[in-house]
Amino acid sequence: MPVIYTFEAKSIQSYILDSSQLRDMVGASEQIENLTRRLLDKVLQALNLEKGKDIQFSRRAGGAFIAILNTLSEAKKLRDLWTFTVRYCLPGLEFVQGLTEDTDILVALKAANQQKSTDQNRLFPVFPIAGPLVARGPRTGEPAVTEKPNPNNGGTERLDKRTALRREYLHQAQLGTGLVIENKLELTTASATRLVWPQNLNEDENQPDEQHFPTLGNNHYIAVIHADGNGLGELLIDVREDITNVPQHYVDVFSALSDTLEKATIAATRQAAQKVLVPKAQLRHDAQGKALQVMPARPLILNGDNLTIIVRGDLAIPFTQQFLDAFERHSEESLTKLNKFFGKIQLKLRLPKSLTACAGIAFVKSSQPFDLAYGLADSLCQTAKKQSKQSRSADGRVPSSLAFHRITTNMIDDYDTICQRELCTQAGWMLSMQPYAVGSVNTAPDTKAKRLPSLQDLEALRRLLADEKISLGATRELLNLLHLSPMQAQRTFRRWRENMLKMPWDKYREFESLLKKMVVESDKELPILSAKDKRTPLADAIAWNSVARGGEV
C-alpha cells in the first residue's frame, strides 16, 4: 500500500531576507537550495532508503517534496528524522507536512495535503530561548551562541545560531563545488576574466575574497524582483484529473512536470542574465591582482516557478522583461516535448501551449530593509497576477505582466496601501497604470477582458520624456497639480501643449500618439488621463527614468 509523505517549507523569502547583510542572505539561500538536495540525500542515506526502490519523488524542488514510500513505518522514520534535521540545521524555518496511506495513490495524496493544511496552525518554538541574562546578536536580536572575530573592525561579533549556521554553510559551499544557484545559471563571458557574484552591499563590509554590490555612480537604487508563474494551481488540478483512471502514471507525470517547470525558470533566468546583466558586469581586481567581473545582481531564490533576485536599479525592468519573454518561450518548448513524450504512451494531458509569469519590482536604496522590500515586490507581483487574470486571451491564457514601484518615503507598505496613500488624488484619479503587459499573449480585441497597457509603449514614453526637447519639469509639475488642483492641472496642461506645438520639432504629436495607445480613450479635458477609470502612465514613466538615470538616459 503506497504511503505519501509531503513536506513544504513556508515563508522561504522571509527566512532568507530577514538579515541586514547580503552575505547572510546568500548563506540562507544556499541552505534552502540544498534543503531537498544534499540535506535530504544525507537523511535518506542514514535511513538506508534507496531512491527508485524504497522511495520515489513526484516533486522535489523549491523547498518542498512529495515522497512515495512502500511502508508506513519507513515513512514515519523519514518524517521524524527529517523534522529533527530541518529544525536543527535551519532554525526558524517554518514548514508543514502530511503523512497518510491508501490503496489509491491519488486519495492518499489528497489526504496528505489536507493534513498539511491543518499543520499550518501548529507553532514550533525556536531554540535557544532567550532569558533575561542571555546575550543577543546585535543584528538579529536573537540569543547569541558564539562570538567570532570581525575582520571589518578588528573586534568580535556575537552571532545567533541561525546566522552562524548560514555563514558556515556559505563557507563550506565556497570551499566545495560552489553555490547551487550560481552553478545552475552557468553564465559565460566573452573575455577570459571570471564572473563573480557580490556578497555584500557596501565595500566596507567586504571580507577577504568578497566583492560588494556594484552600483551605477551616484544612483544607489537596487531592485528586489519577485516573479511567479501564472495558473500553476489550475494546471496541476487539470493534470490530476487527467490521470484519475491511470494512477500508476502519477509519479512519472508529476515529476516530469516539476522538472519541466524548474528547467524553464532556470533557462529563462540564464538567458535574461546573459543578455542584460553580464554585459554590465563591473571589471575589478582581487587581492592577488587577478581581473574579475562583478555581476550587478544577486539571485536568492531560483526553483520551481519562483525567482527572487536583487538587481541594480537601472537594469531591473529590462532584466524582468527579458525573463518573462524567455519564460514563455522555454516553457513552450518544454511542454511541447512533454506532450509528445506522453502522447507516445497514449496519455492525454491538458497541458497549455506555454506558461506565463508575472513579476513585481520594488526599487529601494541599499540601506533600506530588504525583507520589507520583498514584501512590496510580492504585493506588486500579486497585483500583476490579479490584473492579468482579468485580461485573458481568446484561448483563456493569462498574459505575462510586471508592476513596479519606487520607494520615496521611509515607510514600505503593501502596494494597495501605497496606491491609497501616494498614488490616488483627492479627485479619485490614479497616477499609475500598473501593471504592464509583457510577452506574446495578448488580450483579444473582441473579448470583454480588460486590456493591459504595454511595457513597450511605457518604455517609448519614458524615453520621450527623457528627451531634452520635452520639458520634464512641466510634466512633474503637472503630476503635483493633479494632487492639489484638478482645474489648475487642466490649465497647466493646455499651456504646456500650446508651447510644445509651437516648437519646430514634433514631439507633442509623438507624445499624444503614445498616450492614445496606452490610455485608449482619453479624458477630453485632461488627455493624460483615461476617460473611464482616470488613470495615467506619466508617473510610471517618470519613476522609470529616475531609477534608470545614469544609464542610457
Side-chain angles (χ1 to χ4, degrees):
M1 183 181 296
V3 183
I4 295 285
Y5 172 48
T6 177
F7 169 91
E8 182 178 359
K10 306 296 290 184
S11 304
I12 290 176
Q13 287 83 358
S14 298
Y15 177 81
I16 292 175
L17 294 165
D18 71 347
S19 173
S20 61
Q21 283 200 319
L22 183 58
R23 181 194 304 113
D24 297 336
M25 298 181 205
V26 176
S29 170
E30 185 68 8
Q31 284 182 311
I32 295 296
E33 284 290 339
N34 278 293
L35 178 63
T36 56
R37 295 171 182 265
R38 297 173 190 168
L39 192 61
L40 182 56
D41 282 339
K42 289 181 179 179
V43 170
L44 297 180
Q45 185 178 4
L47 294 172
N48 294 317
L49 292 175
E50 185 179 342
K51 286 178 286 185
K53 179 182 177 183
D54 303 311
I55 186 171
Q56 299 181 77
F57 293 94
S58 63
R59 178 189 179 190
R60 188 180 177 182
F65 65 79
I66 300 175
I68 301 93
L69 296 99
N70 298 326
T71 67
L72 184 60
S73 61
E74 288 180 340
K76 287 183 176 180
K77 289 178 182 178
L78 173 60
R79 179 196 60 190
D80 295 343
L81 181 56
W82 178 245
T83 301
F84 173 81
T85 303
V86 172
R87 287 171 57 76
Y88 180 82
C89 295
L90 289 85
L93 178 67
E94 299 177 11
F95 59 86
V96 292
Q97 52 189 345
L99 188 152
T100 188
E101 64 175 340
D102 196 280
T103 53
D104 188 324
I105 192 171
L106 296 179
V107 173
L109 176 65
K110 183 177 180 180
N113 285 332
Q114 289 174 345
Q115 283 188 19
K116 196 169 66 172
S117 298
T118 304
D119 200 42
Q120 294 185 43
N121 301 321
R122 184 182 303 178
L123 296 177
F124 292 99
V126 179
F127 296 100
I129 297 175
L133 301 180
V134 173
R136 296 175 181 264
R139 291 188 178 274
T140 63
E142 298 295 327
V145 297
T146 186
E147 195 165 10
K148 298 282 188 179
N150 188 342
N152 294 327
N153 58 21
T156 59
E157 180 182 12
R158 292 194 302 269
L159 301 177
D160 62 280
K161 184 178 180 181
R162 187 186 308 184
T163 302
L165 285 172
R166 289 177 176 184
R167 294 188 182 179
E168 179 61 24
Y169 215 96
L170 177 62
H171 177 66
Q172 293 299 326
Q174 291 171 329
L175 290 177
T177 57
L179 302 186
V180 174
I181 285 186
E182 297 178 10
N183 294 336
K184 279 181 179 180
L185 292 177
E186 299 177 328
L187 299 178
T188 59
T189 176
S191 65
T193 55
R194 64 188 178 98
L195 290 173
V196 176
W197 296 90
Q199 290 192 11
N200 290 298
L201 294 173
N202 302 308
E203 185 175 4
D204 56 5
E205 293 180 347
N206 280 347
Q207 294 186 8
D209 298 323
E210 290 184 345
Q211 295 293 328
H212 61 280
F213 201 101
T215 55
L216 187 64
N218 293 324
N219 182 351
H220 294 289
Y221 273 108
I222 292 176
V224 178
I225 303 171
H226 176 64
D228 190 21
N230 291 323
L232 270 300
E234 298 173 9
L235 172 60
L236 294 178
I237 291 173
D238 288 343
V239 173
R240 193 174 293 122
E241 290 177 353
D242 292 340
I243 62 171
T244 300
N245 297 323
V246 283
Q248 66 272 20
H249 291 301
Y250 164 74
V251 174
D252 293 335
V253 169
F254 276 86
S255 61
L257 196 57
S258 177
D259 291 343
T260 295
L261 187 60
E262 178 151 336
K263 287 178 181 177
T265 306
I266 293 172
T269 306
R270 181 187 300 119
Q271 182 174 328
Q274 196 71 56
K275 187 170 184 178
V276 178
L277 302 180
V278 171
K280 298 296 183 179
Q282 189 177 94
L283 180 64
R284 293 180 187 166
H285 293 82
D286 61 16
Q288 290 74 38
K290 295 181 180 179
L292 48 83
Q293 295 186 63
V294 184
M295 292 289 288
R298 163 51 75 177
L300 294 175
I301 296 174
L302 179 57
N303 47 49
D305 63 332
N306 280 287
L307 168 66
T308 301
I309 184 172
I310 301 172
V311 176
R312 199 176 77 186
D314 61 304
L315 304 175
I317 295 178
F319 169 83
T320 307
Q321 182 180 14
Q322 287 291 331
F323 168 79
L324 295 175
D325 278 331
F327 184 74
E328 285 188 28
R329 291 194 299 273
H330 286 290
S331 65
E332 182 174 359
E333 293 173 4
S334 299
L335 288 172
T336 299
K337 293 178 182 178
L338 205 59
N339 251 329
K340 290 181 179 179
F341 173 76
F342 286 117
K344 292 179 180 179
I345 58 174
Q346 305 300 312
L347 189 60
K348 293 183 179 180
L349 302 176
R350 285 175 288 173
L351 298 179
K353 179 183 177 182
S354 66
L355 297 173
T356 62
C358 289
I361 309 172
F363 292 99
V364 296
K365 295 296 180 68
S366 59
S367 58
Q368 293 178 295
F370 277 84
D371 56 340
L372 297 181
Y374 167 76
L376 174 57
D378 181 58
S379 176
L380 286 160
C381 182
Q382 295 306 315
T383 296
K385 290 170 77 73
K386 180 180 178 181
Q387 295 296 327
S388 286
K389 287 179 181 178
Q390 299 174 9
S391 307
R392 293 177 184 264
S393 63
D395 59 357
R397 289 195 293 164
V398 178
S400 299
S401 68
L402 66 83
F404 62 89
H405 183 74
R406 177 174 63 104
I407 298 296
T408 57
T409 64
N410 292 328
M411 295 183 64
I412 304 179
D413 289 307
D414 62 88
Y415 188 60
D416 287 340
T417 303
I418 288 173
C419 286
Q420 295 173 9
R421 193 181 67 233
E422 300 179 28
L423 301 178
C424 188
T425 71
Q426 294 180 357
W429 300 345
M430 180 59 65
L431 305 184
S432 175
M433 291 193 74
Q434 309 275 2
Y436 292 90
V438 180
S440 61
V441 179
N442 298 312
T443 305
D446 57 344
T447 65
K448 295 182 180 180
K450 179 181 177 182
R451 187 182 70 86
L452 295 178
S454 165
L455 184 68
Q456 186 176 357
D457 291 336
L458 180 67
E459 182 174 16
L461 177 62
R462 72 101 179 172
R463 289 183 181 277
L464 178 65
L465 292 178
D467 194 311
E468 294 179 354
K469 296 174 182 178
I470 294 282
S471 176
L472 182 59
T475 54
R476 288 185 181 275
E477 180 187 5
L478 187 58
L479 287 176
N480 290 332
L481 289 175
L482 289 175
H483 272 291
L484 301 174
S485 172
M487 295 297 294
Q488 192 174 349
Q490 292 174 8
R491 290 195 296 269
T492 300
F493 176 77
R494 286 195 295 268
R495 185 168 61 251
W496 176 74
R497 178 175 56 187
E498 290 170 0
N499 291 334
M500 289 297 297
L501 289 173
K502 293 177 183 178
M503 299 297 178
W505 46 81
D506 204 16
K507 292 296 180 182
Y508 179 77
R509 297 301 181 192
E510 187 178 348
F511 174 80
E512 187 179 46
S513 175
L514 282 170
L515 276 182
K516 285 182 178 179
K517 291 174 67 176
M518 301 181 72
V519 174
V520 184
E521 184 181 352
S522 59
D523 184 83
K524 293 182 179 180
E525 298 297 328
L526 202 53
I528 61 172
L529 294 171
S530 58
K532 189 174 182 180
D533 52 7
K534 305 298 183 183
R535 289 154 58 92
T536 178
L538 273 188
D540 297 332
I542 291 174
W544 188 348
N545 276 338
S546 295
V547 296
R549 190 171 293 117
E552 75 279 9
V553 176

